Amino acid sequence: MKLGAFSISLSVKDLMSSKKFYEKLGFNTFAGSMEQNYLIMKNENALIGLFQGMFQGNILTFNPGWDENASNLENFDDIRKIQSQLKNNGLTLTSEADEKTKGPASLMLTDPDGNVILLDQHR
C-alpha cells in the first residue's frame, strides 16, 4: 500500500512562536501563509504543517500521489484502492472517499490511541 508523502499537522496556539521554534530546528516555510493561519514547513523530506485555530489535536497526514515536494508521483495507489484495502484489513473509517469518483478525495481513521490519520489525495 503506497500512502504517499507523510507529514504531521499540528494544532498550534501561536503560529509565529511555532514558526520561529521550527526554524531553529532547520525547517523553512514551504507553503501556506501567516494571513491564512497555517504554514507548511520543510526540512529535507520532513514536513510539518502548523495550523492555528483550524482543528483540535494533531493529525498524521498522507498524500497519495505526491512526494515530499508536492510533486506528482508517476506510480501511486489511488485513495479508493487504499480505502478498500483498509476496510479489508478490518479498519473502521471515520470518513470515506466516494468510490464512484476519480481524482481528489480523502478519508480519515483513528488509531487505537485516538490519533487522527488523514489520507488526502489531491489529484
Side-chain angles (χ1 to χ4, degrees):
M1 190 176 329
K2 296 178 184 177
L3 299 178
F6 172 76
S7 63
I8 184 144
S9 299
L10 303 175
S11 176
V12 301
K13 295 176 185 170
D14 182 323
L15 186 57
M16 183 56 76
S17 296
S18 294
K19 177 183 185 287
K20 289 178 182 178
F21 176 85
Y22 284 100
E23 285 174 340
K24 290 176 184 177
L25 288 176
F27 284 82
N28 295 300
T29 300
F30 177 68
S33 72
M34 297 297 291
E35 295 77 27
Q36 294 179 320
N37 290 327
Y38 84 95
L39 297 172
I40 308 300
M41 301 194 71
K42 190 171 190 291
N43 179 332
E44 295 189 10
N45 64 346
L47 293 164
I48 297 175
L50 306 175
F51 297 85
Q52 183 176 323
M54 294 188 175
F55 52 84
Q56 292 183 356
N58 300 320
I59 302 172
L60 289 79
T61 304
F62 296 92
N63 298 111
W66 273 6
D67 68 11
E68 68 274 5
N69 295 307
S71 297
N72 291 341
L73 294 171
E74 186 174 323
N75 296 309
F76 70 99
D77 290 344
D78 184 81
I79 194 162
R80 285 155 277 284
K81 177 181 177 183
I82 294 169
Q83 178 171 282
S84 177
Q85 290 174 319
L86 296 174
K87 287 179 168 183
N88 288 340
N89 288 342
L91 295 173
T92 301
L93 306 180
T94 55
S95 71
E96 297 185 19
D98 183 347
E99 294 178 6
K100 298 174 190 165
T101 63
K102 294 183 184 245
S106 64
L107 65 82
M108 296 177 82
L109 63 157
T110 305
D111 78 7
D113 295 302
N115 298 303
V116 175
I117 300 170
L118 168 66
L119 279 75
D120 193 14
Q121 180 174 305
H122 293 278
R123 60 186 205 121

